């Protein structure tokens, strides 16, 4: 192959991967493999400058924006950064730029984490957020303003602090990176796995997908965060011309900036910071793939110009890659508390970034089939922070024919019952309510932090108690006796006392925690408190019809059905009876009787302003007690607006839509059916 042909081939390949990464949010090769292709192209083009074209990926950044969003041109192109892989590369960079600078300049630097998220460009006019765009191809991005508005960390007005006297340019464009913190990513996946939904591959692609939702309410549900690191345009006002002060200024305006940014007086300090981050990498709660080293004096930095599309005034010091290949030896199937069968990879142990990795998640069986992962394959494994490592994909070129395809299980590996796959879901379930694996997982969940929070109850405790026949369901936790526990291996007097004290204390947890702890599908913390707020007690929830449940704001048909099915199950009814006998909190004390009056059945209310004799919550409770529904916002579906003192925009909207407006007295008359 001639260099020209290879260059052509590399460009096609690179463009394809850029498209997969930036537009589809679904890369099929690792960052390291991408870098290798890119560097090969760069090197070939350096040898044959006559073959460089303006359309080569080395001359452009990113990939074309998608068609689903309006396109917006960035005020200044989003460029990329030169890479350094160690201290030596960094010093070489300093020598190169030194040749372009007067002899005696003394440079200082700002070191920022290189966040592995998505670049966003936020535009403010007269202090108001007017436009938010993705990176796109670096020149033209996508207008995702409505989605970005749902992020709490994106200031809607600056300065955020209303008391601030800080001057703000009339036109200000800020750049930053949107990402999902690693702990939030874990939580999200735990919830999804429990609900039988497909779990997400990695934080970056999840953040990208979340930001590019066509429905902003979907974006709002995801734990997206923002850190800002630059001002790329300003008119009608001055901005600091030194990076460190610029970051401080951004922060004063109310933009979130990374708490890990450092000012460094020389390159020695820069290198020390870089090494420090590498050693602390596992404790940083977001994905960082390196350190961005910037010349603090922006005038000097800008005066240095560019090499290709890389500015000379900054450089990215990459961290060692955390992707490696190893052999997939076997597949283990775990069963979650809702019965979801989760495939887990058993790997030939391999060290990745100082940790020996033996297991990795394989998401679900659909994913295994889609990627055609086989037992015996060499697979690419990626580790980010303390998140469980995952398999990026198989290295198909390394196959020798001995690999075995993976068949989805037909039976539960723990209880042997046959499994089911529900229509429209990727998860495979074991539906046997007395499956031991499920029971142990349910007990673990019941005692966990977000549920009954029994900290003295460890994971092994659940397994041990089950094996010894001391628990058959979660309610048995409350009938454990000291003398039985003392018989268990490793359970001394003190340990047993601690366990029993912890169990006793958990009886005080409020009803919504107990409801969460029951582990009903789709009923996590948030849904549980919605339900308890609306209906006041677990007993009312248990007897509510599916329609009544669906009337509650935030409860959809799927959740309502799942609740209904759970409480109708005989085994679950026994558990409830036993929990009641243990005197746990089933009620908030303000129960709502569904069998009571139904004078408001089928009517939707919105409450606004201050009512004369009751709080809005009390009014909402009363409306629910009479069979009505309360919604948070006025729409065509609203039947009545209950307006009190100082009612504002909702009153205006209701008037505009011609909705009947009543006061507290009017509401009482309706309830009394007068
Ligand atoms: S400054 C001329 N600072 O890295 C480009 N970039 O490879 C100046 N990034 O497009 C970029 N964290 O997506 C800068 N603290 C940081 C960054 C950062 C992440 C990303 C950004 C940029 C890419 C450059």
């Amino acid at each position: 192959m001639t260099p020209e042909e290879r260059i052509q081939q590399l460009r096609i390949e690179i463009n394809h991967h850029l498209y997969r990464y930036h537009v589809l949010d679904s890369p099929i090769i690792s960052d390291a493999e991408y870098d290798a292709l890119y560097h090969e192209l760069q090197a070939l083009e350096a040898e044959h400058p006559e073959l460089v074209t303006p359309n080569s990926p080395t001359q452009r950044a990113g990939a074309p924006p998608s068609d689903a969003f309006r396109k917006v041109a960035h005020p200044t192109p989003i460029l990329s950064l030169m890479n350094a892989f160690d201290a030596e590369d960094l010093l070489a960079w300093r020598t190169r730029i030194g040749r372009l600078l007067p002899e005696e300049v003394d440079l200082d630097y700002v070191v920022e984490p290189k966040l592995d998220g998505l670049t966003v460009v936020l535009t403010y006019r007269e202090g108001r957020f007017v436009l938010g765009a993705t990176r796109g191809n670096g020149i033209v991005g996508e207008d995702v303003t409505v989605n970005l508005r749902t992020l709490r960390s994106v200031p809607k007005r600056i300065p955020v602090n209303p008391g601030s006297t800080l001057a703000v340019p009339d036109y200000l464009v800020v750049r930053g990176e949107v990402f999902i913190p690693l702990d939030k990513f874990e939580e999200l996946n735990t919830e999804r796995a429990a609900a039988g939904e497909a779990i997400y591959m990695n934080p970056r692609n999840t953040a990208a997908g979340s930001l590019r939702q066509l429905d902003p309410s979907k974006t709002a549900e995801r734990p997206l965060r923002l850190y800002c690191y630059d001002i790329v345009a300003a008119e009608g006002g001055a901005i600091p011309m030194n990076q460190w002060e610029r970051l401080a200024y951004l922060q004063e305006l109310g933009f979130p900036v990374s708490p890990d940014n450092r000012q460094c007086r020389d390159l020695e300090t820069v290198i020390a910071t870089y090494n420090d981050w590498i050693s602390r990498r596992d404790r940083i709660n977001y994905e960082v793939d390196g350190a961005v080293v910037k010349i603090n004096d922006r005038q000097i930095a800008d005066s240095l110009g560019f090499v290709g599309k890389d500015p000379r005034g900054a450089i990215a010091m990459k961290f060692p890659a955390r992707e490696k290949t190893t052999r997939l030896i076997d597949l283990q199937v775990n069963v979650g508390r809702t019965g979801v069968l989760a495939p887990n990879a058993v790997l030939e142990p391999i060290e990745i970034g100082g940790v020996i990795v033996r297991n990795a998640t394989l998401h679900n069986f659909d994913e295994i089939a889609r990627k055609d992962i086989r037992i015996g394959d060499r697979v690419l494994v990626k580790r980010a922070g303390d998140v469980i490592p995952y398999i990026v994909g198989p290295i198909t070129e390394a196959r020798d024919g001995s690999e075995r395809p993976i068949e989805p299980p037909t039976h539960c590996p723990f209880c042997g019952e046959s499994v089911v796959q529900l229509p429209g879901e990727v998860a495979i379930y074991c539906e046997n309510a007395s499956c031991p694996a499920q029971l142990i997982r349910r007990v673990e969940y019941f005692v966990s932090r977000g549920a009954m929070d029994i900290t003295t109850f460890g994971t092994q405790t659940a397994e041990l108690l089950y094996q010894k026949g001391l628990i058959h369901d979660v309610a048995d936790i409350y009938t454990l006796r000291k003398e039985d526990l003392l018989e268990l291996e490793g359970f001394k007097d003190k340990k047993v006392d601690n366990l029993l004290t912890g169990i006793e204390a958990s009886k005080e947890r409020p009803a919504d925690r107990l409801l969460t702890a029951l582990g009903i599908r789709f009923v996590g913390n948030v849904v549980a408190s919605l339900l308890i707020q609306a209906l006041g007690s677990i007993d009312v929830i248990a007897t509510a019809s599916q329609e009544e449940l669906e009337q509650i704001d935030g409860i959809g048909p799927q959740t309502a059905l799942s609740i209904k099915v759970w409480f109708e199950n005989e085994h679950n009814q026994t558990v409830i009876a036993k929990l009641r006998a243990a005197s746990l909190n089933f009620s908030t004390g303000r129960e709502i009787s569904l069998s009571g009056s139904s004078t408001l059945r089928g009517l939707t209310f919105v409450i606004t302003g201050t009512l004369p004799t009751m709080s809005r919550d009390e009014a909402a409770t009363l409306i629910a007690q009479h069979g009505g529904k309360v919604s948070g916002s006025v729409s065509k579906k609203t039947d009545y607006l209950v307006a009190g003192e100082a009612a504002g925009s909702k009153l205006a909207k209701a008037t505009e839509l011609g909705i009947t407006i009543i006061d507290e007295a009017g509401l009482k008359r309706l309830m009394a059916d007068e």
Side-chain angles (χ1 to χ4, degrees), residues 78-81 112-115 119 135 177 229 292 294 311:
I78 301 178
L79 305 161
S80 62
L81 288 169
E112 301 168 14
K114 187 165 191 305
L115 300 154
T119 307
R135 169 187 179 130
E177 200 87 355
Y229 54 75
V292 184
K294 301 179 176 179

Side-chain angles (χ1 to χ4, degrees), residues 22 61 77-83 111-120 135 175-177 204 227-230 232 243 247 258 261 287-294 298 306 309-312 314 316 318:
H22 290 287
I78 301 178
L79 305 161
S80 62
L81 288 169
M82 245 174 294
N83 285 337
V111 182
E112 301 168 14
K114 187 165 191 305
L115 300 154
D116 193 12
L118 294 106
T119 307
V120 291
R135 169 187 179 130
R175 193 179 293 165
E177 200 87 355
R204 193 204 166 271
Y227 282 148
C228 294
Y229 54 75
D230 205 2
V232 291
Q243 179 65 11
L247 291 170
S258 166
N261 295 334
E287 264 196 283
V288 182
D289 54 7
V292 184
V293 183
K294 301 179 176 179
R298 297 289 304 238
F306 301 88
K309 61 188 166 69
D310 304 334
R312 287 198 183 86
K318 302 281 273 215

